Amino acid sequence: MGEVELSCRAYVKMYLHACLFPRCSINGLLLSSSPAGGPVCVTDCVPLLHSHLSLAPITQLALTQVDVWCSQTQQRIVGYYQANACVSDSNPTPCALKIADKISEQFDNAVLLMLDGSKMSSDYRVPPIVMYERKDSKWLLKDKHTIMLRQWEETRAIAGQMLESGDHALLVDFDSHLDDITKDWTNQKLNTKIAELASPANGNI
Amino acid sequence: MASVSEMYDVGWEEMRDKLRKWREDNCRNSEQIVDVGEELISEHASKLGDDIWIIYEQVMIAALDCSRDDLALTCLQELRKQFPDSHRVKRLSGMRLEALERYDEANKHYDAILQDDPTNTVTRKRKISILKAQGKGTEAIRELNEYLEQFVGDQEAWHELSELYINEHDYGKAAFCLEELMMTNPHNHLYCEQYAEVKYTQGGLENLELSRKYFAQALRLNNRNMRALFGLYMSASHIAASPKVSAKVKKDNMKYAAWAATQINRAYKVSHRTIVISPQTSMRALLERV
């Protein structure tokens, strides 16, 4: 299948989400604001849950809300990410497969992304992610060479810097939003911070 | 880097009291505990009196949580010197081994404690935690069930068991655990709401109706529980949309859903955020169950 590109903003928020809840399994949705056709460009993500990932009501609610927000902001849900609480296990759980299936009903080239906890230490050189794509109703491991992170070194530096300065505490996932609905699950503040840290020479983040 | 006392302009007594509050509330804010506790121990140890031992224990556990083995070992060594034959300190040694992923050695420590004292519940639970950390969900469930046969009143254990069952997608058994918790804690809105979520996930008309009732109960106990409010809206909408219900049930549930929608809209208006809850559009989306 085709190439998948992961933007700095999407990667950093996913990474910070995992760092904010190191003892929990976390998940979220991958979004794209690029026009359909061509390689899949994941330009943003929405962190969803850090508890009871497999229970239906909140997941359904979040999917609906994100869907509506996407249609208002010219974005589409193109994938799903998850990081398991157990660091040594980066396999997709049944609920991950279910949600990814649901997304691929609406978007042909949907991607399923698992964060590999064992590769997330500060000295990691490669992106700690594993991607799956749908072939014949099954989710298969994607060829590493079809996953692109532009400016990886810079992205990695930004993620590390934000973690160091405690910015991950600013991240709001849907779960936190339900605990306090004044919190913004679209994370506009964090998006601005990430954009500020990205080098001005890089026009396409 | 500025010290905690400099940054927050607090004295050692306030730091000590904060640590006590976190102990009493059983908070897992390990990074904060390490920051405050490390400074308290290194600069004000002499002023703490006998409190220092429980602070060493608290800071040690928090240090393990933050991969600060240096600090954990320091605390542990002080405790070993003071209480050389203590099972409690031996258990802390075991926890350090767990943090270093030396599970076999940790288990040996715990088995030694349990030989001496078979009713040491905390140690038994540590062994179950090891199974969980190793990803052995089914074994952890089996051990926890055995534990609960003996210690049937242990609320923390029942809740842990419900979480383990949810992870294994065994919703029926998770519901059973939550029923036990609701029986002994009838005023806890969180148990009601979690039970409702499990029932909703199980699906089917009967479970949906139960889930709606328990979402409503959670709201009665705490009218600010947003999950319960959304849950009520969604379960009532699903029931109303089902072809199997009578006209009266349909009408009643549409009323409940409409009420919930109004409450949701009101809550969001007050918080100046936007949400789209319109019966028609959302219902269609909601009908596609995940």
Side-chain angles (χ1 to χ4, degrees), chain A residues 144-163:
Chain A
K144 267 199 276 275
H145 298 108
T146 55
I147 306 167
M148 293 204 326
L149 272 111
R150 286 208 203 153
Q151 329 287 123
W152 163 239
E153 287 302 323
E154 189 183 27
T155 301
R156 188 172 136 254
I158 293 176
Q161 191 180 333
M162 292 184 84
L163 179 60

Side-chain angles (χ1 to χ4, degrees), chain B residues 163-196:
Chain B
E163 298 276 327
L164 288 173
Y165 276 131
I166 289 173
N167 279 340
E168 300 289 320
H169 306 278
D170 196 339
Y171 302 120
K173 300 219 179 80
F176 177 77
C177 298
L178 287 162
E179 281 162 10
E180 285 287 328
L181 286 165
M182 287 194 296
M183 255 199 319
T184 42
N185 303 274
H187 299 296
N188 186 319
H189 65 107
L190 293 172
Y191 293 151
C192 278
E193 181 249 298
Q194 273 180 35
Y195 180 75

Side-chain angles (χ1 to χ4, degrees), chain A residues 163-182:
Chain A
L163 179 60
E164 271 291 311
S165 46
D167 285 336
H168 56 302
L170 294 171
L171 186 129
V172 177
D173 66 3
F174 207 79
D175 247 344
S176 317
H177 167 76
L178 288 175
D179 289 333
D180 175 358
I181 56 174
T182 59

Side-chain angles (χ1 to χ4, degrees), chain A residues 19 22-23 25 49-61 63-65 67-68 72 86-88 93-95 98-99 102 105-106 168 174-186, chain B residues 28-31 65-66 132-135 159 163 166-167 169 171 193-194 196-198 200-201 215 224-227 230-231 234 238 264 267-268 271 273-277 281-282 285-286 288-290:
Chain A
C19 293
R23 298 141 196 148
S25 292
L49 308 176
H50 56 267
S51 67
H52 301 148
L53 269 60
S54 60
L55 291 183
I58 306 302
T59 304
Q60 275 184 12
L61 174 67
L63 276 167
T64 322
Q65 291 302 315
D67 216 11
V68 169
Q72 293 168 341
C86 198
V87 143
S88 53
T93 56
C95 90
K98 224 166 155 198
I99 299 176
K102 199 96 201 117
E105 279 171 24
Q106 305 288 327
H168 56 302
F174 207 79
D175 247 344
S176 317
H177 167 76
L178 288 175
D179 289 333
D180 175 358
I181 56 174
T182 59
K183 290 191 174 163
D184 169 28
W185 53 261
T186 68
Chain B
R28 195 176 173 174
N29 53 334
S30 303
E31 288 87 358
D65 220 7
C66 301
K132 199 175 157 194
Q134 293 174 311
H159 197 246
E163 298 276 327
I166 289 173
N167 279 340
H169 306 278
Y171 302 120
E193 181 249 298
Q194 273 180 35
E197 283 193 50
V198 170
Y200 184 103
T201 309
F215 278 129
R224 298 230 288 266
N225 186 329
M226 284 309 292
R227 285 185 183 81
F230 275 114
M234 290 164 69
H238 266 290
I264 293 170
Y268 274 83
S271 76
R273 298 208 29 81
T274 47
I275 188 163
V276 177
I277 283 268
T281 52
S282 299
L286 289 173
E288 299 156 45
R289 289 178 59 77
V290 170

Side-chain angles (χ1 to χ4, degrees), chain B residues 1-19:
Chain B
M1 214 182 90
S3 67
V4 171
S5 47
E6 281 166 18
M7 273 204 289
Y8 299 101
D9 192 22
V10 288
W12 70 270
E13 295 104 326
E14 280 145 303
M15 289 164 73
R16 178 202 58 193
D17 293 341
K18 214 37 181 193
L19 282 180

